[in-house]
Amino acid sequence: MTPAAGDVSFLVPAAGVGERLGMGPKGFLALRGRPLLCWIADKALQVAGEVLVAVPADRVDAAAELLPGCRVIAGGGSRHDSVARLARAATGEWCLVHDAARPFASVALFRGVLAAARGSGCAGAFLDPEVPVARIGGGLVLEGFDRDQVGVFQAPQAFARALLLDLFAQAEAAGRRPQSTLQLALHAGVPVAAVPGEKHNIKLTTPEDWRHAALLEDHLK
């Protein structure tokens, strides 16, 4: 087994209430009898020397009991705020960011994204849409792209920690709060390495996603 990298901090934002899924904070939902956070921590500890998890303030103690070997902090009011808090609390030279709502990503994907970031400063997983993609506005198709020109944002994403902190500082000054942390890098003109994502690396957002999760449990380990 490849040893965990001591210069890597693995950041898990899990402070949301899971409003669209409607089952409470996603990290505490169980698959195969274990909370999602536990499955992710198992993988994270294989990759990183430090694992930090942001949860709702009233769940910090409960999460700390579930996650020996991890540091648990109170998250912010949004995913953006939670990742910023995690980055400031981290000590590693490199940060891997991965959501609690994506428990099926493989350890190989974590390592691949990290390796790509070490070469470029930051990187992310992107899923091949397998079909052409259109840009739409006002109910009209404005532009079309071949599948090899586009990718669907996934996680993990990886950054040099110094770069990540600088990107958050720029975002705070400009009042930007993007949905994906990698959008901060793109807005700043920072090159982002693209790593092929995984079909099974779905994000558990809606009740339909949760129903699909039962079909993907083999990817929890």
Side-chain angles (χ1 to χ4, degrees):
M1 180 181 295
T2 304
D7 62 345
V8 176
S9 295
F10 195 110
L11 314 183
V12 185
V17 298
E19 183 175 352
R20 282 178 288 178
L21 186 56
M23 298 170 63
K26 298 174 191 174
F28 295 88
L29 301 180
L31 287 174
R32 284 195 176 171
R34 301 181 74 212
L36 301 187
L37 282 173
C38 294
W39 292 112
I40 292 173
D42 288 351
K43 297 176 183 179
L45 290 166
Q46 297 178 54
V47 176
E50 176 180 64
V51 178
L52 297 96
V53 183
V55 299
D58 62 353
R59 300 277 190 127
V60 170
D61 291 342
E65 289 184 14
L66 286 173
L67 304 170
C70 303
R71 289 170 57 199
V72 181
I73 66 172
S78 68
R79 179 189 184 279
H80 177 85
D81 293 333
S82 291
V83 177
R85 289 188 181 190
L86 289 164
R88 293 175 186 127
T91 61
E93 182 181 355
W94 296 91
C95 290
L96 264 171
V97 181
H98 191 71
D99 298 280
R102 290 186 182 270
F104 305 113
S106 70
V107 171
L109 183 61
F110 294 145
R111 291 195 170 117
V113 170
L114 178 60
R118 289 185 188 275
S120 64
C122 66
F126 291 85
L127 185 65
D128 180 352
E130 300 185 340
V131 294
V133 173
R135 182 168 67 88
I136 297 173
L140 297 174
V141 176
L142 305 178
E143 192 172 4
F145 300 92
D146 293 336
R147 58 175 284 198
D148 59 358
Q149 294 179 292
V150 294
V152 179
F153 278 69
Q154 281 195 339
Q157 300 171 355
F159 306 80
R161 180 170 173 266
L163 170 62
L164 184 57
L165 292 174
D166 183 56
L167 292 174
F168 274 115
Q170 292 181 45
E172 184 175 353
R176 289 193 301 274
R177 305 172 68 82
Q179 184 175 359
S180 171
T181 308
L182 270 185
Q183 289 175 282
L184 296 177
L186 294 171
H187 189 278
V190 175
V192 176
V195 175
E198 298 170 333
K199 273 191 172 183
H200 56 263
N201 181 22
I202 68 169
K203 185 177 181 182
L204 300 174
T205 303
T206 67
E208 183 178 9
D209 297 330
W210 188 252
R211 289 193 291 271
H212 290 163
L215 305 175
L216 298 170
E217 290 185 344
D218 287 346
H219 296 285
L220 287 169
K221 296 183 179 180

PDB file of all heavy atoms in Angstrom, residues 97-124:
ATOM      1  N   VAL A  97      -9.413  18.694  -1.565  1.00  0.00           N
ATOM      2  CA  VAL A  97     -10.752  19.080  -1.127  1.00  0.00           C
ATOM      3  C   VAL A  97     -11.747  18.073  -1.689  1.00  0.00           C
ATOM      4  O   VAL A  97     -11.782  17.841  -2.906  1.00  0.00           O
ATOM      5  CB  VAL A  97     -11.108  20.498  -1.613  1.00  0.00           C
ATOM      6  CG1 VAL A  97     -12.498  20.900  -1.114  1.00  0.00           C
ATOM      7  CG2 VAL A  97     -10.058  21.512  -1.148  1.00  0.00           C
ATOM      8  N   HIS A  98     -12.538  17.476  -0.794  1.00  0.00           N
ATOM      9  CA  HIS A  98     -13.509  16.475  -1.245  1.00  0.00           C
ATOM     10  C   HIS A  98     -14.748  16.545  -0.373  1.00  0.00           C
ATOM     11  O   HIS A  98     -14.661  16.630   0.852  1.00  0.00           O
ATOM     12  CB  HIS A  98     -12.913  15.076  -1.186  1.00  0.00           C
ATOM     13  CG  HIS A  98     -13.749  14.051  -1.881  1.00  0.00           C
ATOM     14  ND1 HIS A  98     -13.869  13.997  -3.249  1.00  0.00           N
ATOM     15  CD2 HIS A  98     -14.543  13.057  -1.397  1.00  0.00           C
ATOM     16  CE1 HIS A  98     -14.677  13.003  -3.584  1.00  0.00           C
ATOM     17  NE2 HIS A  98     -15.114  12.425  -2.477  1.00  0.00           N
ATOM     18  N   ASP A  99     -15.919  16.472  -0.992  1.00  0.00           N
ATOM     19  CA  ASP A  99     -17.177  16.658  -0.285  1.00  0.00           C
ATOM     20  C   ASP A  99     -17.671  15.374   0.380  1.00  0.00           C
ATOM     21  O   ASP A  99     -17.534  14.279  -0.181  1.00  0.00           O
ATOM     22  CB  ASP A  99     -18.248  17.146  -1.255  1.00  0.00           C
ATOM     23  CG  ASP A  99     -17.899  18.491  -1.858  1.00  0.00           C
ATOM     24  OD1 ASP A  99     -18.117  19.504  -1.181  1.00  0.00           O
ATOM     25  OD2 ASP A  99     -17.394  18.515  -2.994  1.00  0.00           O
ATOM     26  N   ALA A 100     -18.291  15.527   1.525  1.00  0.00           N
ATOM     27  CA  ALA A 100     -18.891  14.380   2.214  1.00  0.00           C
ATOM     28  C   ALA A 100     -19.977  13.734   1.372  1.00  0.00           C
ATOM     29  O   ALA A 100     -20.275  12.549   1.540  1.00  0.00           O
ATOM     30  CB  ALA A 100     -19.476  14.831   3.551  1.00  0.00           C
ATOM     31  N   ALA A 101     -20.571  14.502   0.456  1.00  0.00           N
ATOM     32  CA  ALA A 101     -21.645  13.980  -0.388  1.00  0.00           C
ATOM     33  C   ALA A 101     -21.129  13.148  -1.560  1.00  0.00           C
ATOM     34  O   ALA A 101     -21.921  12.700  -2.390  1.00  0.00           O
ATOM     35  CB  ALA A 101     -22.492  15.135  -0.919  1.00  0.00           C
ATOM     36  N   ARG A 102     -19.813  12.915  -1.644  1.00  0.00           N
ATOM     37  CA  ARG A 102     -19.229  12.091  -2.709  1.00  0.00           C
ATOM     38  C   ARG A 102     -18.418  10.939  -2.084  1.00  0.00           C
ATOM     39  O   ARG A 102     -17.193  10.934  -2.129  1.00  0.00           O
ATOM     40  CB  ARG A 102     -18.327  12.923  -3.617  1.00  0.00           C
ATOM     41  CG  ARG A 102     -19.060  13.931  -4.494  1.00  0.00           C
ATOM     42  CD  ARG A 102     -18.082  14.589  -5.452  1.00  0.00           C
ATOM     43  NE  ARG A 102     -18.683  15.595  -6.285  1.00  0.00           N
ATOM     44  CZ  ARG A 102     -19.228  15.389  -7.490  1.00  0.00           C
ATOM     45  NH1 ARG A 102     -19.250  14.168  -7.978  1.00  0.00           N
ATOM     46  NH2 ARG A 102     -19.745  16.388  -8.190  1.00  0.00           N
ATOM     47  N   PRO A 103     -19.101   9.961  -1.495  1.00  0.00           N
ATOM     48  CA  PRO A 103     -18.369   8.902  -0.788  1.00  0.00           C
ATOM     49  C   PRO A 103     -17.802   7.808  -1.682  1.00  0.00           C
ATOM     50  O   PRO A 103     -17.069   6.949  -1.198  1.00  0.00           O
ATOM     51  CB  PRO A 103     -19.447   8.313   0.134  1.00  0.00           C
ATOM     52  CG  PRO A 103     -20.713   8.481  -0.653  1.00  0.00           C
ATOM     53  CD  PRO A 103     -20.559   9.808  -1.346  1.00  0.00           C
ATOM     54  N   PHE A 104     -18.120   7.837  -2.981  1.00  0.00           N
ATOM     55  CA  PHE A 104     -17.752   6.711  -3.837  1.00  0.00           C
ATOM     56  C   PHE A 104     -16.468   6.937  -4.637  1.00  0.00           C
ATOM     57  O   PHE A 104     -16.032   6.047  -5.365  1.00  0.00           O
ATOM     58  CB  PHE A 104     -18.898   6.399  -4.806  1.00  0.00           C
ATOM     59  CG  PHE A 104     -20.213   6.159  -4.122  1.00  0.00           C
ATOM     60  CD1 PHE A 104     -21.270   7.038  -4.284  1.00  0.00           C
ATOM     61  CD2 PHE A 104     -20.393   5.054  -3.301  1.00  0.00           C
ATOM     62  CE1 PHE A 104     -22.485   6.827  -3.654  1.00  0.00           C
ATOM     63  CE2 PHE A 104     -21.600   4.833  -2.655  1.00  0.00           C
ATOM     64  CZ  PHE A 104     -22.647   5.719  -2.831  1.00  0.00           C
ATOM     65  N   ALA A 105     -15.859   8.100  -4.545  1.00  0.00           N
ATOM     66  CA  ALA A 105     -14.607   8.356  -5.261  1.00  0.00           C
ATOM     67  C   ALA A 105     -13.526   7.399  -4.776  1.00  0.00           C
ATOM     68  O   ALA A 105     -13.464   7.046  -3.593  1.00  0.00           O
ATOM     69  CB  ALA A 105     -14.162   9.798  -5.043  1.00  0.00           C
ATOM     70  N   SER A 106     -12.662   6.991  -5.681  1.00  0.00           N
ATOM     71  CA  SER A 106     -11.634   6.007  -5.334  1.00  0.00           C
ATOM     72  C   SER A 106     -10.378   6.665  -4.793  1.00  0.00           C
ATOM     73  O   SER A 106     -10.086   7.840  -5.066  1.00  0.00           O
ATOM     74  CB  SER A 106     -11.269   5.189  -6.578  1.00  0.00           C
ATOM     75  OG  SER A 106     -10.571   5.989  -7.515  1.00  0.00           O
ATOM     76  N   VAL A 107      -9.613   5.890  -4.043  1.00  0.00           N
ATOM     77  CA  VAL A 107      -8.311   6.350  -3.572  1.00  0.00           C
ATOM     78  C   VAL A 107      -7.409   6.666  -4.765  1.00  0.00           C
ATOM     79  O   VAL A 107      -6.629   7.625  -4.741  1.00  0.00           O
ATOM     80  CB  VAL A 107      -7.664   5.290  -2.652  1.00  0.00           C
ATOM     81  CG1 VAL A 107      -6.226   5.647  -2.329  1.00  0.00           C
ATOM     82  CG2 VAL A 107      -8.470   5.155  -1.360  1.00  0.00           C
ATOM     83  N   ALA A 108      -7.522   5.880  -5.828  1.00  0.00           N
ATOM     84  CA  ALA A 108      -6.720   6.135  -7.031  1.00  0.00           C
ATOM     85  C   ALA A 108      -7.027   7.508  -7.614  1.00  0.00           C
ATOM     86  O   ALA A 108      -6.111   8.209  -8.088  1.00  0.00           O
ATOM     87  CB  ALA A 108      -6.980   5.047  -8.067  1.00  0.00           C
ATOM     88  N   LEU A 109      -8.295   7.919  -7.585  1.00  0.00           N
ATOM     89  CA  LEU A 109      -8.649   9.244  -8.092  1.00  0.00           C
ATOM     90  C   LEU A 109      -8.049  10.328  -7.214  1.00  0.00           C
ATOM     91  O   LEU A 109      -7.523  11.326  -7.714  1.00  0.00           O
ATOM     92  CB  LEU A 109     -10.167   9.394  -8.171  1.00  0.00           C
ATOM     93  CG  LEU A 109     -10.666  10.716  -8.766  1.00  0.00           C
ATOM     94  CD1 LEU A 109     -10.173  10.895 -10.203  1.00  0.00           C
ATOM     95  CD2 LEU A 109     -12.188  10.787  -8.715  1.00  0.00           C
ATOM     96  N   PHE A 110      -8.107  10.152  -5.892  1.00  0.00           N
ATOM     97  CA  PHE A 110      -7.488  11.129  -4.991  1.00  0.00           C
ATOM     98  C   PHE A 110      -6.005  11.290  -5.333  1.00  0.00           C
ATOM     99  O   PHE A 110      -5.496  12.412  -5.441  1.00  0.00           O
ATOM    100  CB  PHE A 110      -7.612  10.685  -3.528  1.00  0.00           C
ATOM    101  CG  PHE A 110      -9.024  10.652  -3.007  1.00  0.00           C
ATOM    102  CD1 PHE A 110      -9.412   9.685  -2.098  1.00  0.00           C
ATOM    103  CD2 PHE A 110      -9.957  11.581  -3.410  1.00  0.00           C
ATOM    104  CE1 PHE A 110     -10.700   9.646  -1.606  1.00  0.00           C
ATOM    105  CE2 PHE A 110     -11.259  11.553  -2.924  1.00  0.00           C
ATOM    106  CZ  PHE A 110     -11.625  10.582  -2.016  1.00  0.00           C
ATOM    107  N   ARG A 111      -5.330  10.183  -5.505  1.00  0.00           N
ATOM    108  CA  ARG A 111      -3.890  10.238  -5.776  1.00  0.00           C
ATOM    109  C   ARG A 111      -3.610  10.843  -7.152  1.00  0.00           C
ATOM    110  O   ARG A 111      -2.634  11.576  -7.332  1.00  0.00           O
ATOM    111  CB  ARG A 111      -3.287   8.844  -5.646  1.00  0.00           C
ATOM    112  CG  ARG A 111      -3.273   8.334  -4.207  1.00  0.00           C
ATOM    113  CD  ARG A 111      -2.353   7.142  -4.033  1.00  0.00           C
ATOM    114  NE  ARG A 111      -2.185   6.831  -2.615  1.00  0.00           N
ATOM    115  CZ  ARG A 111      -2.559   5.698  -2.032  1.00  0.00           C
ATOM    116  NH1 ARG A 111      -3.098   4.730  -2.760  1.00  0.00           N
ATOM    117  NH2 ARG A 111      -2.378   5.507  -0.745  1.00  0.00           N
ATOM    118  N   GLY A 112      -4.461  10.535  -8.125  1.00  0.00           N
ATOM    119  CA  GLY A 112      -4.260  11.084  -9.460  1.00  0.00           C
ATOM    120  C   GLY A 112      -4.421  12.586  -9.502  1.00  0.00           C
ATOM    121  O   GLY A 112      -3.634  13.295 -10.146  1.00  0.00           O
ATOM    122  N   VAL A 113      -5.436  13.108  -8.812  1.00  0.00           N
ATOM    123  CA  VAL A 113      -5.659  14.556  -8.781  1.00  0.00           C
ATOM    124  C   VAL A 113      -4.525  15.244  -8.027  1.00  0.00           C
ATOM    125  O   VAL A 113      -4.021  16.299  -8.449  1.00  0.00           O
ATOM    126  CB  VAL A 113      -7.027  14.876  -8.159  1.00  0.00           C
ATOM    127  CG1 VAL A 113      -7.187  16.374  -7.901  1.00  0.00           C
ATOM    128  CG2 VAL A 113      -8.140  14.383  -9.071  1.00  0.00           C
ATOM    129  N   LEU A 114      -4.087  14.652  -6.937  1.00  0.00           N
ATOM    130  CA  LEU A 114      -2.978  15.234  -6.185  1.00  0.00           C
ATOM    131  C   LEU A 114      -1.705  15.272  -7.028  1.00  0.00           C
ATOM    132  O   LEU A 114      -0.988  16.282  -7.050  1.00  0.00           O
ATOM    133  CB  LEU A 114      -2.743  14.428  -4.910  1.00  0.00           C
ATOM    134  CG  LEU A 114      -1.582  14.880  -4.026  1.00  0.00           C
ATOM    135  CD1 LEU A 114      -1.770  16.315  -3.549  1.00  0.00           C
ATOM    136  CD2 LEU A 114      -1.421  13.934  -2.844  1.00  0.00           C
ATOM    137  N   ALA A 115      -1.412  14.191  -7.735  1.00  0.00           N
ATOM    138  CA  ALA A 115      -0.209  14.158  -8.566  1.00  0.00           C
ATOM    139  C   ALA A 115      -0.269  15.225  -9.651  1.00  0.00           C
ATOM    140  O   ALA A 115       0.739  15.885  -9.945  1.00  0.00           O
ATOM    141  CB  ALA A 115      -0.055  12.772  -9.196  1.00  0.00           C
ATOM    142  N   ALA A 116      -1.434  15.421 -10.250  1.00  0.00           N
ATOM    143  CA  ALA A 116      -1.571  16.447 -11.280  1.00  0.00           C
ATOM    144  C   ALA A 116      -1.374  17.844 -10.699  1.00  0.00           C
ATOM    145  O   ALA A 116      -0.756  18.712 -11.323  1.00  0.00           O
ATOM    146  CB  ALA A 116      -2.946  16.334 -11.939  1.00  0.00           C
ATOM    147  N   ALA A 117      -1.894  18.070  -9.487  1.00  0.00           N
ATOM    148  CA  ALA A 117      -1.733  19.377  -8.853  1.00  0.00           C
ATOM    149  C   ALA A 117      -0.270  19.659  -8.533  1.00  0.00           C
ATOM    150  O   ALA A 117       0.189  20.806  -8.642  1.00  0.00           O
ATOM    151  CB  ALA A 117      -2.574  19.448  -7.583  1.00  0.00           C
ATOM    152  N   ARG A 118       0.460  18.651  -8.143  1.00  0.00           N
ATOM    153  CA  ARG A 118       1.882  18.858  -7.832  1.00  0.00           C
ATOM    154  C   ARG A 118       2.642  19.358  -9.062  1.00  0.00           C
ATOM    155  O   ARG A 118       3.668  20.030  -8.934  1.00  0.00           O
ATOM    156  CB  ARG A 118       2.507  17.552  -7.327  1.00  0.00           C
ATOM    157  CG  ARG A 118       2.056  17.132  -5.927  1.00  0.00           C
ATOM    158  CD  ARG A 118       2.828  15.906  -5.463  1.00  0.00           C
ATOM    159  NE  ARG A 118       2.344  15.333  -4.225  1.00  0.00           N
ATOM    160  CZ  ARG A 118       2.711  15.745  -3.003  1.00  0.00           C
ATOM    161  NH1 ARG A 118       3.552  16.769  -2.875  1.00  0.00           N
ATOM    162  NH2 ARG A 118       2.241  15.147  -1.925  1.00  0.00           N
ATOM    163  N   GLY A 119       2.128  19.063 -10.242  1.00  0.00           N
ATOM    164  CA  GLY A 119       2.791  19.519 -11.450  1.00  0.00           C
ATOM    165  C   GLY A 119       2.341  20.880 -11.932  1.00  0.00           C
ATOM    166  O   GLY A 119       3.070  21.553 -12.673  1.00  0.00           O
ATOM    167  N   SER A 120       1.148  21.314 -11.516  1.00  0.00           N
ATOM    168  CA  SER A 120       0.605  22.557 -12.073  1.00  0.00           C
ATOM    169  C   SER A 120       0.169  23.582 -11.029  1.00  0.00           C
ATOM    170  O   SER A 120      -0.118  24.724 -11.381  1.00  0.00           O
ATOM    171  CB  SER A 120      -0.608  22.228 -12.961  1.00  0.00           C
ATOM    172  OG  SER A 120      -1.653  21.669 -12.184  1.00  0.00           O
ATOM    173  N   GLY A 121       0.064  23.184  -9.774  1.00  0.00           N
ATOM    174  CA  GLY A 121      -0.407  24.094  -8.723  1.00  0.00           C
ATOM    175  C   GLY A 121      -1.807  23.791  -8.270  1.00  0.00           C
ATOM    176  O   GLY A 121      -2.129  23.936  -7.096  1.00  0.00           O
ATOM    177  N   CYS A 122      -2.673  23.371  -9.200  1.00  0.00           N
ATOM    178  CA  CYS A 122      -4.005  22.935  -8.804  1.00  0.00           C
ATOM    179  C   CYS A 122      -4.583  22.043  -9.891  1.00  0.00           C
ATOM    180  O   CYS A 122      -4.180  22.099 -11.056  1.00  0.00           O
ATOM    181  CB  CYS A 122      -4.936  24.103  -8.496  1.00  0.00           C
ATOM    182  SG  CYS A 122      -5.352  25.143  -9.895  1.00  0.00           S
ATOM    183  N   ALA A 123      -5.517  21.184  -9.496  1.00  0.00           N
ATOM    184  CA  ALA A 123      -6.094  20.213 -10.414  1.00  0.00           C
ATOM    185  C   ALA A 123      -7.454  19.783  -9.889  1.00  0.00           C
ATOM    186  O   ALA A 123      -7.776  19.968  -8.712  1.00  0.00           O
ATOM    187  CB  ALA A 123      -5.181  18.993 -10.553  1.00  0.00           C
ATOM    188  N   GLY A 124      -8.233  19.184 -10.777  1.00  0.00           N
ATOM    189  CA  GLY A 124      -9.530  18.668 -10.379  1.00  0.00           C
ATOM    190  C   GLY A 124      -9.951  17.506 -11.250  1.00  0.00           C
ATOM    191  O   GLY A 124      -9.410  17.293 -12.343  1.00  0.00           O
TER     192      GLY A 124
END
